[in-house]
């Protein structure tokens, strides 16, 4: 089981799911039509490290963060 | 890296950073102070911050600055920041002016692009995500 | 433009400039603080300034900044400035960060090249012209 | 009569002279061997305005400033 959390303005409760890779996570999240428009603009972190590769293997307890477009300052 | 609830005490931060480095023999101190402008009828801006990733982003910048003999500083507000007050102060200290002037620009621009901070306009007490002024972070779209 | 005998009161200057522009609706305030480094066994640096031409140089910069919706500020020390204290503070206020970051760099670099200020090392109480770090002004050599 | 003043580190008292143009001033100053090494590095102002043209005509009472290499900050 892994957890997916949505940061900032996405305003959605965390989701728990079974997933072996980020590709699995992607497939699951795309089932939610509210999320599809967010996904193309969002970056992703695993356990607070930014990632750029869908094939990374997930392990039990991993925490995936979905980061929408930013504007600090 | 310092996070504060609400507006920053700019003078306190500026002076404290100056004092902390008083004996470090840096020749240039270049702060950047961001102030909330009154525009589009907003009362305030409001900020969400994801601190663990911001901290990593900042620590990587600190390492990069140190390779050039410099250090970086940063303070940011969380929550509502009324117009004409400050939400963001960053700074570079370096032995020489060239490095300080180059680094402050790179640091502030990368901050705008990649620091995990979300901005909202506050109008009539309501928070509205500033989507049109926001930038997808490096690597965005991975799950799309 | 402000000239002071000896070291600058950096915090007072920074805070006063901030307060003066508190209602001006600028979004970015970028100061540059120059601090005397301990090096080559100096006790202090010392400065001569020719104020009438410095004032003209500064007024031209103010006009240039205003064309971009910004303003510039400047304070400099005259006479001896001990190590680890400040001889120079300048700043840009502008509505947006890009202009502020670009202007502070251009302003400080042109200041180094063309402000009529002469620097001396102070060693054992003696003033020695810092010739090797000095730059001929634009148009130098006209009478040679 | 015009006055030539030496700024910053040149450390020389002002000189008064008759001169119609900056070229005349140049010729007079070059007679002073102490000054020749300064002149090639110095900029020039007339009545506190920087100048870049030797042929400019001088008038009674003009004040010429000789500005050696600078280093503010």
């Amino acid at each position: 089981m892994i957890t997916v959390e949505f940061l900032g303005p996405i305003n959605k409760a965390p989701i728990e799911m079974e997933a072996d890779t980020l590709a699995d996570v992607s497939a699951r999240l795309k089932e939610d039509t509210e999320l599809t428009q967010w996904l193309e603009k969002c970056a992703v972190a695993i356990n607070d490290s930014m990632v750029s590769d869908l094939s990374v293997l997930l392990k039990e307890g991993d925490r995936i963060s979905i980061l929408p477009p930013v504007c600090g300052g | 890296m310092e996070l504060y609830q609400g507006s920053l005490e700019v003078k306190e931060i500026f002076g404290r950073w100056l004092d902390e480095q008083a004996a470090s023999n840096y020749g240039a101190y270049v702060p950047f102070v961001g102030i909330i402008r009154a525009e589009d009828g907003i009362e305030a801006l409001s900020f969400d911050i994801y601190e663990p990733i911001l901290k990593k982003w900042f620590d990587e910048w600190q390492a990069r600055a140190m390779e050039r003999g410099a250090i970086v500083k940063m303070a940011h507000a969380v929550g509502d920041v009324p117009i004409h007050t400050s939400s963001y102060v960053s700074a570079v200290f370096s032995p020489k002016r060239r490095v300080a002037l180059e680094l402050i620009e790179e640091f502030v621009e990368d901050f705008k692009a990649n620091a995990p901070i979300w901005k909202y306009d506050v109008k009539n007490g309501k928070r509205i995500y500033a989507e049109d002024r926001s930038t997808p972070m490096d690597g965005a779209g991975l799950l799309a």
Side-chain angles (χ1 to χ4, degrees), chain B residues 34-53:
Chain B
I35 301 163
I36 308 295
R37 300 187 70 208
E39 53 187 353
D40 303 329
I42 62 166
E43 295 139 28
L45 293 180
S46 191
F47 298 91
D48 288 341
I49 294 186
Y50 187 59
E51 187 167 350
I53 291 179

Side-chain angles (χ1 to χ4, degrees), chain B:
Chain B
M1 190 187 93
E2 306 168 18
L3 301 182
Y4 296 92
Q5 202 64 41
S7 310
L8 302 185
E9 298 284 344
V10 177
K11 292 179 199 172
E12 186 278 327
I13 292 167
F14 172 87
R16 182 165 39 82
W17 290 351
L18 181 70
D19 290 343
E20 283 171 6
Q21 303 303 328
S24 307
N25 210 30
Y26 290 118
Y29 172 26
V30 185
F32 177 98
V33 180
I35 301 163
I36 308 295
R37 300 187 70 208
E39 53 187 353
D40 303 329
I42 62 166
E43 295 139 28
L45 293 180
S46 191
F47 298 91
D48 288 341
I49 294 186
Y50 187 59
E51 187 167 350
I53 291 179
L54 181 60
K55 183 73 170 56
K56 284 197 179 177
W57 175 88
F58 180 78
D59 289 347
E60 283 168 22
W61 260 102
Q62 194 63 280
R64 220 180 298 180
M66 278 178 178
E67 282 171 18
R68 296 162 79 173
I71 60 169
V72 288
K73 300 269 193 180
M74 190 190 120
H76 204 287
V78 177
D80 288 8
V81 185
I83 56 170
H84 296 164
T85 68
S86 173
S87 53
Y88 173 51
V89 183
S90 59
V92 174
F93 285 87
S94 91
K96 299 285 183 183
R97 82 175 184 287
R98 281 303 321 152
V99 167
L101 289 167
E102 288 165 15
L103 263 183
I104 192 69
E105 177 161 8
E106 295 167 28
F107 182 52
V108 170
E109 292 298 333
D110 191 52
F111 170 83
K112 295 296 286 189
N114 285 303
I117 302 181
W118 297 279
K119 179 181 283 180
Y120 305 82
D121 290 331
V122 180
K123 289 185 183 181
N124 304 315
K126 278 181 60 182
R127 258 179 145 213
I128 306 147
Y129 175 46
E131 189 172 2
D132 53 329
R133 283 117 75 201
S134 298
T135 311
M137 297 171 78
D138 290 350
L142 184 65
L143 300 187

Side-chain angles (χ1 to χ4, degrees), chain A residues 28-43:
Chain A
R28 264 295 293 280
L29 295 182
K30 282 193 224 168
E31 292 169 10
D32 182 340
T33 50
E34 268 178 48
L35 280 177
T36 45
Q37 57 168 351
W38 281 111
L39 291 181
E40 58 200 26
K41 296 179 291 185
C42 285

